[in-house]
Amino acid sequence: MARSWRTAPPYPAWAGYAAALNTYAEQRLAQPEHRLPAGTSFPEWFRENQPALRRSPVLRERNAIVASRLLPLFEAQPGGWEAVAFLPCGSRGAEASFDAHLAEWRAQCPAPLRPFVTKLAAAFGAKQ
């Protein structure tokens, strides 16, 4: 938003907030609790934290770590946002694995979006 609001804010008066949005994002990402522990890969960290994330979707520090890993993928390929529309809805139950959910999502996407979902799955260390 910081970049796009410089030139195309949703309202002209909001253009001045672009710098503040950028500062806010940089400060949040710089906080130690929003970064992976030294020497830990993201897939390893995710495997350890997935049970807690499944139990509680409001673990802000952990969600920030996930978001910081996914953001570069979406920034590099903004068209990947289209794949979000094909996320499987509904509960598959606690027994469903995250890898299975990602595989189902990929299968529900149109063929041109599948490589992006494969990239996301690889970021998590999912076996496809």
Side-chain angles (χ1 to χ4, degrees), residues 8 17 24-25 27-28 32 37-38 41 44 89 94-95 99 106 108 113 120 127:
Y17 289 107
Y24 174 77
Q27 288 173 346
R28 298 257 314 157
S41 71
E44 176 186 358
C89 294
E95 70 283 348
D99 289 4
R106 185 180 181 283
Q108 289 184 16
L113 297 175
L120 289 178
K127 294 164 183 58

Side-chain angles (χ1 to χ4, degrees), residues 63-108:
N63 286 331
I65 291 172
V66 173
S68 70
R69 292 296 165 183
L70 299 183
L71 179 61
L73 298 175
F74 282 100
E75 286 181 328
Q77 193 173 347
W81 282 108
E82 293 177 39
V84 175
F86 297 93
L87 271 165
C89 294
S91 175
R92 292 176 47 104
E95 70 283 348
S97 75
F98 186 64
D99 289 4
H101 183 72
L102 291 171
E104 181 181 358
W105 179 23
R106 185 180 181 283
Q108 289 184 16

